[in-house]
Amino acid sequence: MSHDVGAVERRRLLSRTNSVTIVGASNNPARPSYFVATYLLSSSEYQVNFVNPRLDELLGQPVYPSLADVPGGVDLVSVFRKHDDLPGVAEEVVEAGARTLWLQLGLWHEPVADRAKEAGLDVVMNRCVKIEHARFAGGLHLAGFNTGVISSRRQSAP
C-alpha cells in the first residue's frame, strides 16, 4: 500500500496543525533539522517543540528528552532520525497521541507508515515540512529556499 499523499492532502494536514514537534532536533546549523526549526519559529504560527535527549535548549526554546515529556501533547511530529530508529520513534509517536507522523526528506519506511496508519495517524514520508509549509504559505522559491529578496512588485494571487 502506498502512503504518498498528494499536495492537497499535505496542505490540509498543515492547515489543521497547531503544533510541530521535531524529533531529532539538532543545534548544528548545518543540519536540516536546524534549518527547519529556525524556519518554523520565524515563519509559521505553529507551537514548535523540540525532542532530543542530548540537548537542553535550542534557539532559545526548551528541548525535551522524549515525546512523552512535551507539555500540552503533540500534534504533527516531524522526524529527523536514522532509518533504523524509525520503528521505535513511531511507537513513541503513537503513544504520545499525535495526529500526524511526518518523516523528513530522505526518510521512507513502509512498516512504520503501516503501524502509524493502523493507529489512526496521518502519515507523510520523504517530504520537508519547511518546504511544504513555504509552498502553501507563498514563500517558496527555487529548490524550496526563500531567496530573501524583497520586492515592491505585487505577488500574483495563488
Side-chain angles (χ1 to χ4, degrees):
M1 150 168 48
S2 173
H3 297 288
D4 195 29
V5 295
V8 170
E9 179 69 1
R10 291 193 306 276
R11 183 176 200 157
R12 185 186 69 78
L13 292 177
L14 289 172
S15 67
R16 71 152 198 218
T17 294
N18 299 311
S19 71
V20 174
T21 300
I22 297 178
V23 172
S26 173
N27 59 359
N28 178 345
R31 306 289 302 170
S33 64
Y34 186 93
F35 186 63
V36 170
T38 57
Y39 170 83
L40 290 176
L41 286 172
S42 65
S43 302
S44 80
E45 296 182 6
Y46 301 131
Q47 165 66 42
V48 182
N49 301 301
F50 303 119
V51 171
N52 184 331
R54 294 185 298 280
L55 294 178
D56 294 323
E57 188 207 62
L58 177 62
L59 299 166
Q61 308 286 322
V63 179
Y64 303 99
S66 74
L67 282 171
D69 296 309
V70 175
V74 296
D75 187 355
L76 185 151
V77 179
S78 180
V79 180
F80 291 81
R81 294 284 300 276
K82 296 189 314 269
H83 184 268
D84 293 349
D85 295 340
L86 296 179
V89 171
E91 288 306 317
E92 276 190 60
V93 171
V94 168
E95 287 169 25
R99 286 198 295 184
T100 305
L101 171 64
W102 190 296
L103 300 184
Q104 186 54 26
L105 210 55
L107 295 178
W108 189 274
H109 199 300
E110 290 285 345
V112 160
D114 290 339
R115 168 70 183 107
K117 288 262 191 198
E118 285 164 16
L121 278 73
D122 289 305
V123 177
V124 177
M125 295 193 289
N126 192 32
R127 297 278 178 183
C128 176
V129 74
K130 176 245 179 276
I131 291 173
E132 296 300 307
H133 180 275
R135 171 181 303 177
F136 303 130
L140 186 71
H141 194 61
L142 297 173
F145 298 101
N146 188 327
T147 61
V149 173
I150 297 169
S151 169
S152 61
R153 273 200 341 234
R154 266 190 190 199
Q155 281 197 304
S156 55

